[in-house]
Amino acid sequence: MSVATEISRIQTGRNTIRAKLVELGMAQNTDGLDKLASAIEKMENRGAVSATVQEGDTYTIPKGYHNGSGTVSGVAGGGNYNLQSKTVTPTKLQQNVTPDSGFYGLSDVTVAPIPESYADVSAVTAEAADVLTGKVIVSAAGKTVAGSMPNNGLLDKTIDGLTSLSADIPAGYYSGGTVSLSGDIEEALAAI
């Protein structure tokens, strides 16, 4: 064989390899044999990759060479589903209970009792009369109770010391105020 024939044969082989590697996104149209060989060397041999995909899931095929004997099979409606059992504990926030990856759904969900720290209201001592009207508390029995204490606002009372030494103050809440004593004889005489 002549040198020209050998060069032509090598160039044809290089072009065939380059075209396939460009098609696979592993090389450029201008790459020489050294870059093409490097790209082929980096290709991982995945052999026979097999996977089972449940309905609604996807499987990403790994990059590399596959020998064609692997399988991807799916579990369709009515199939043998891989279900998961879960246990959850109540919290103060909403929870979404979903199966972990690899499970088609949940076979059952067990909800644990409310933790003692959330449920214990036995130390509550307030009653309806201790709480302002319009406010709500939880009783020691765990029931909601509406307050019944009137809100009397600002107290402003004057006691006439010449005729009385006391004044009736209605039960309820006061935001503050004053009780004063008048008893000046000049005021009393002026009123006559």
Side-chain angles (χ1 to χ4, degrees):
M1 259 191 217
S2 71
V3 172
T5 304
E6 283 299 310
I7 290 174
S8 177
R9 189 177 64 77
I10 291 170
Q11 286 175 333
T12 301
R14 177 204 61 202
N15 292 343
T16 303
I17 293 169
R18 181 190 294 153
K20 183 52 77 174
L21 289 176
V22 167
E23 179 186 327
L24 295 173
M26 298 175 65
Q28 303 294 321
N29 280 326
T30 57
D31 288 349
L33 275 175
D34 55 340
K35 284 190 178 181
L36 299 176
S38 178
I40 291 172
E41 213 172 42
K42 290 178 185 172
M43 185 186 303
E44 290 188 48
N45 183 355
R46 299 288 184 177
V49 175
S50 295
T52 302
V53 182
Q54 64 189 21
E55 190 174 321
D57 279 356
T58 58
Y59 172 71
T60 302
I61 298 170
K63 184 178 181 178
Y65 169 76
H66 299 265
N67 68 14
S69 63
T71 60
V72 176
S73 56
V75 178
N80 183 15
Y81 299 117
N82 187 16
L83 301 177
Q84 182 181 26
S85 175
K86 280 202 165 178
T87 300
V88 295
T89 300
T91 65
K92 291 183 179 184
L93 301 175
Q94 175 180 320
Q95 298 179 64
N96 294 322
V97 183
T98 58
D100 294 337
S101 178
F103 292 95
Y104 183 78
L106 298 170
S107 61
D108 62 274
V109 176
T110 302
V111 180
I114 296 173
E116 287 296 322
S117 60
Y118 294 157
D120 186 9
V121 291
S122 62
V124 174
T125 58
E127 296 178 1
D130 300 324
V131 179
L132 287 174
T133 301
K135 303 290 183 180
V136 177
I137 62 166
V138 175
S139 72
K143 305 284 185 196
T144 57
V145 177
S148 63
M149 178 192 302
N151 186 344
N152 295 323
L154 187 64
L155 175 65
D156 186 15
K157 269 292 198 191
T158 302
I159 301 171
D160 181 356
L162 295 176
T163 60
S164 176
L165 293 177
S166 66
D168 291 332
I169 307 289
Y173 170 80
Y174 295 89
S175 59
T178 59
V179 175
S180 57
L181 177 63
S182 72
D184 191 338
I185 290 209
E186 291 172 7
E187 281 183 27
L189 289 176
I192 298 180

